[in-house]
Amino acid sequence: MATNTFPRYSIPFPNRLVDEQMPNLSDTEWRIVCVLVRQTLGWVEGVGGQRKKRDWLTHSQLRIRTGRESAAVSRAIQSLLAKQLILVEDSEGKTLLTPHQRQHNLGRLYFRLHPNILSTLETTHTTSVLEGENP
């Protein structure tokens, strides 16, 4: 019988990212996407078991986690925003599209997968689990 739980210490990684997006991404872009998936979908919040929608990440954390230089991380973030794969927001949820907006933001920067990616994940996962298919 199919369940919608994942093995402990695993991440529900959207197939669409691997199947459709990975071939078109640079190495640094792919690494940032992987970090972002880990920091959001890799965490369950609260009693309801919902996956995190966004996470506070610093530029330094992204450099360390991806193993890439600052300029490469900045370029990759801007490219992922343009490709509508990620969003960067301030603490109030306002989208920060430009490097200038992100650099002059006085608070934390929150990263998330673009809602198109998440809606595909939720629809695909729910349908696959109900039909007993391999998502």
Side-chain angles (χ1 to χ4, degrees):
M1 173 165 199
T3 71
N4 70 1
T5 59
F6 288 87
R8 190 177 174 127
Y9 306 116
S10 67
I11 303 168
F13 204 101
N15 290 344
R16 182 175 176 200
L17 287 173
V18 176
D19 298 342
E20 298 172 18
Q21 299 302 323
M22 186 174 62
N24 304 314
L25 298 178
S26 72
D27 181 67
T28 304
E29 290 170 338
W30 181 245
R31 287 172 183 241
I32 288 173
V33 166
C34 289
V35 169
L36 189 51
V37 168
R38 170 66 180 102
Q39 290 304 119
T40 56
L41 301 178
W43 292 91
V44 177
E45 293 185 309
V47 178
Q50 296 296 314
R51 299 288 172 164
K52 284 175 67 174
K53 298 289 186 200
R54 69 182 196 164
D55 193 45
W56 165 52
L57 291 165
T58 66
H59 190 81
S60 177
Q61 287 171 320
L62 288 171
R63 277 190 313 100
I64 292 166
R65 299 280 304 271
T66 61
R68 296 296 180 246
E69 297 296 324
S70 180
V73 169
S74 294
R75 282 190 305 273
I77 289 169
Q78 195 59 37
S79 178
L80 291 168
L81 284 164
K83 293 175 182 179
Q84 296 186 337
L85 293 177
I86 70 169
L87 291 174
V88 182
E89 302 170 336
D90 65 13
S91 60
E92 296 174 355
K94 178 184 173 195
T95 303
L96 306 172
L97 294 175
T98 68
H100 180 76
Q101 289 174 323
R102 292 188 298 279
Q103 289 167 352
H104 290 88
N105 179 56
L106 299 177
R108 295 177 172 180
L109 295 179
Y110 292 86
F111 289 77
R112 67 169 52 220
L113 292 173
H114 195 282
N116 294 338
I117 300 296
L118 290 176
S119 64
T120 302
L121 172 68
E122 291 166 0
T123 302
T124 302
H125 180 67
T126 302
T127 303
S128 297
V129 169
L130 293 175
E131 296 174 0
E133 297 175 4
N134 182 9

